[in-house]
Amino acid sequence: MTSAVYSPNKSSGLRDFIPHLPAGVWSLSGFSLLWFGGIVLPLLAIILVSFLQGRGLNINFDPTIKQYERFFSYGGGDMLARSVRIAGTVTIIELLLAFPFALWLAKGCKNNTVKLLTFTALTVPFFLSPAARVIVWRSVFGINGVVNQVLLGAGIVDKPVLWLIFSEFSVHFGFIGAFFPTMVWPIFLSISLIDNDYLEASGDLGASRLRTLLHIIFPLALPGIVAGFVFTFIPMLGDAVVSSYMGGNNVLMLAAQVQSLIGVSNFLVAAALAAVVLAIMLAFQVLLWFALKPVGGLAGVFASLRR
Amino acid sequence: MTIGNLSPTRFRLPFWQRLADWAPTGISIIFGYAVLFILYFPIAMLMILSFSGEPNTGIPGDWTLTWYESVIFADTAQREGEAYGSNFRVGDPLLLSIMLAFITAVACVIAVLIVGPILPRIKWRGPFLVGFLMPLMIPGIVGGVGLFMWYRLVIHVKMGIWSLVLAHFVWAFPFALLAMLVVASRFDTRLMEAAEDLGAKPWQRFWQIEIPILKPGIYAAGFFGFLLSFNELPFSIFMRSGQDTLPLYLWIQSGAHNTTVPLIFAMSTIVTVGSIGLTFLAIKLAFGGGKNDVK
């Protein structure tokens, strides 16, 4: 170790990027190799697998589009369209609810206790079992559930309301609570990074609030909005819990379909389905990439947090 | 405060105009908290119902601790289980989940210590970051199927504990990394250079400078790893072999037998209270002290 000797030129070349722990570059390379080889490539390999054929666990490497034909002939297209429609609708509802709320939280709310409590309320659900968050709705909305008991007792309806559970209504409802934080957080972060001076300057120059919102806040918050859209829509599309608890067998969505295909060892059709979803996901990733470009990409978002 | 706010004309606005001034804000606040209510109502209800005699009806009352007794004492669970026509045994899944969560937490801490401090400082961090955060962009169920396809179908490896660990790590690592990056991107590398100039050896710089400064990120990574693994479901569905994790077990039980629902309520309440406690501890350790340390 010659570190006691001060040399002004020591931070040059590679050392510029890795200013400490020369071992760091090796461990990073090693970890990245494992991660990309063990995780990223296998995930992308679904697309390859979906073009193969075989039965059960035996597959051979003859390229074919048979799996896609089978998938769509079994009504897979309808299921996929339904999943995308439900997830898309709820994501837009979340956006309409979350944007004003995040705006208020970032710029309007001056009470630190309220802020802290709201942050905590928005963070805790990430670490709770997804099942624990929806399981009760069955008892509340079921045929003999609380809502029906109250409605019957008050004489508003003659017989139990059936569409409260195991319907598209209940699936939408279950999603709205569960996926609110993933929409609020990115929008909140992007709005709180907007300099207050911009907003004041806009007001001083005579712009109305609406004009400031549309011409200053909205464009600057766009990366957060797109990130929120992606982080809400994507997990919702693949959600296994809400759709099965709230939708039952009446609202078949992606996750249930994948599971039933795997359950009957129809691996390759499942791969075709997964590949279609993966393609949608990659398209979104490209969208996110372009949306974050003005702020220097994903890395830029973190660089701005340094302040 | 803008100058406009100080002008006296503001106080002479007619009532409807003042209403229009704050109505949008008020409505957005009310709606925001309404959604948070929808999010927390079932969790609160779950806890209340787990102490009730007839949880299935959704109506609280007839307070009892029976369900907790059944969950906690395995032999009672067996008896209750028979009475209820099912076999509710939560011990093995619970142990497996705790073990997996612990391994995932340790793996996350090690991984973010390798990646976190260096990533903000390398030139080509964009592609790395996209690759590391990729699991956040994939629906869990598709990720699980993808890994299953590759390891089981293409390279013919049998699933086991290792595959559950892998799946949970894939799910938890991006979150742990994000938490670490928030801390690591504030890291002043001149401290390391100063230590080097003062003669500190690499391991000394690591233990005495890097670790203490990155401590909030390390705590966060560990807790994130533990909690996210403990409650993980979609990946586990495909990456298990034989054994069930706790969320998987509760999920299967609640789908299969309506009669075990009271026990699931009690078990979920225990897990939820534990998770909320750990989350608070994590937030406090990771971000509470941070502001005082870094002045």
Side-chain angles (χ1 to χ4, degrees), chain A residues 139, chain B residues 45-68 70 80 84 258-266:
Chain A
S139 315
Chain B
M45 200 65 182
L46 179 87
M47 294 177 180
I48 295 169
L49 287 176
S50 70
F51 291 103
S52 303
E54 292 286 339
N56 279 328
T57 59
I59 297 161
D62 194 9
W63 308 110
T64 172
L65 285 172
T66 319
W67 316 121
Y68 286 91
S70 308
E80 289 290 336
Y84 275 79
N258 230 7
T259 46
T260 50
V261 162
L263 303 182
I264 293 166
F265 279 22

Side-chain angles (χ1 to χ4, degrees), chain B:
Chain B
M1 282 292 144
T2 59
I3 297 168
N5 276 355
L6 299 173
S7 82
T9 55
R10 191 173 175 79
F11 299 102
R12 275 188 253 119
L13 287 172
F15 169 75
W16 61 269
Q17 214 160 340
R18 271 185 289 153
L19 185 73
D21 227 24
W22 59 255
T25 318
I27 289 169
S28 50
I29 295 169
I30 291 168
F31 270 92
Y33 283 110
V35 180
L36 280 179
F37 176 77
I38 294 176
L39 178 52
Y40 278 93
F41 171 80
I43 300 169
M45 200 65 182
L46 179 87
M47 294 177 180
I48 295 169
L49 287 176
S50 70
F51 291 103
S52 303
E54 292 286 339
N56 279 328
T57 59
I59 297 161
D62 194 9
W63 308 110
T64 172
L65 285 172
T66 319
W67 316 121
Y68 286 91
E69 275 172 38
S70 308
V71 165
I72 292 162
F73 305 109
D75 58 334
T76 328
Q78 185 69 28
R79 223 174 329 121
E80 289 290 336
E82 274 163 19
Y84 275 79
S86 72
N87 205 352
F88 191 81
R89 286 195 140 174
V90 87
D92 290 345
L94 181 65
L95 279 181
L96 178 67
S97 272
I98 291 176
M99 190 187 76
L100 285 171
F102 190 73
I103 298 173
T104 310
V106 173
C108 278
V109 168
I110 295 172
V112 299
L113 270 179
I114 292 173
V115 178
I118 302 174
L119 203 59
R121 282 171 253 295
I122 58 175
K123 205 178 176 187
W124 296 100
R125 58 186 172 225
F128 278 102
L129 208 52
V130 169
F132 288 143
L133 299 185
M134 191 172 163
L136 291 180
M137 315 277 289
I138 301 179
I141 208 111
V142 173
V145 167
L147 292 180
F148 171 82
M149 294 280 173
W150 176 259
Y151 286 105
R152 190 76 192 88
L153 251 65
V154 179
I155 61 174
H156 294 289
V157 196
K158 274 224 154 47
M159 296 289 139
I161 302 281
W162 72 268
S163 57
L164 280 172
V165 171
L166 180 83
H168 288 190
F169 178 73
V170 169
W171 167 237
F173 173 69
F175 288 94
L177 182 65
L178 284 177
M180 177 53 113
L181 283 178
V182 173
V183 180
S185 52
R186 290 203 194 100
F187 190 104
D188 190 346
T189 45
R190 284 173 302 180
L191 290 171
M192 299 297 276
E193 286 165 26
E196 194 179 351
D197 293 344
L198 292 169
K201 297 196 168 60
W203 64 268
Q204 272 181 316
R205 301 200 294 268
F206 182 69
W207 278 114
Q208 296 179 1
I209 297 182
E210 209 165 352
I211 294 277
I213 289 178
L214 297 179
K215 209 185 259 173
I218 296 170
Y219 282 136
F223 279 108
F224 281 21
F226 190 93
L227 286 163
L228 290 168
S229 158
F230 195 75
N231 289 315
E232 206 288 328
L233 180 68
F235 277 96
S236 309
I237 295 173
F238 303 106
M239 298 296 275
R240 76 189 147 135
S241 110
Q243 319 94 327
D244 289 331
T245 63
L246 187 63
L248 205 52
Y249 185 74
L250 294 178
W251 189 58
I252 292 168
Q253 286 287 322
S254 65
H257 314 280
N258 230 7
T259 46
T260 50
V261 162
L263 303 182
I264 293 166
F265 279 22
M267 193 61 217
S268 299
T269 302
I270 296 172
V271 173
T272 304
V273 169
S275 296
I276 291 176
L278 272 182
T279 310
F280 274 116
L281 193 64
I283 292 174
K284 198 163 150 20
L285 281 176
F287 303 111
K291 276 170 198 133
N292 299 328
D293 292 345
V294 188
K295 282 223 170 100

Side-chain angles (χ1 to χ4, degrees), chain A residues 228-243:
Chain A
F229 194 93
V230 171
F231 288 139
T232 308
F233 180 76
I234 297 289
M236 210 188 304
L237 194 58
D239 175 89
V241 177
V242 175
S243 56

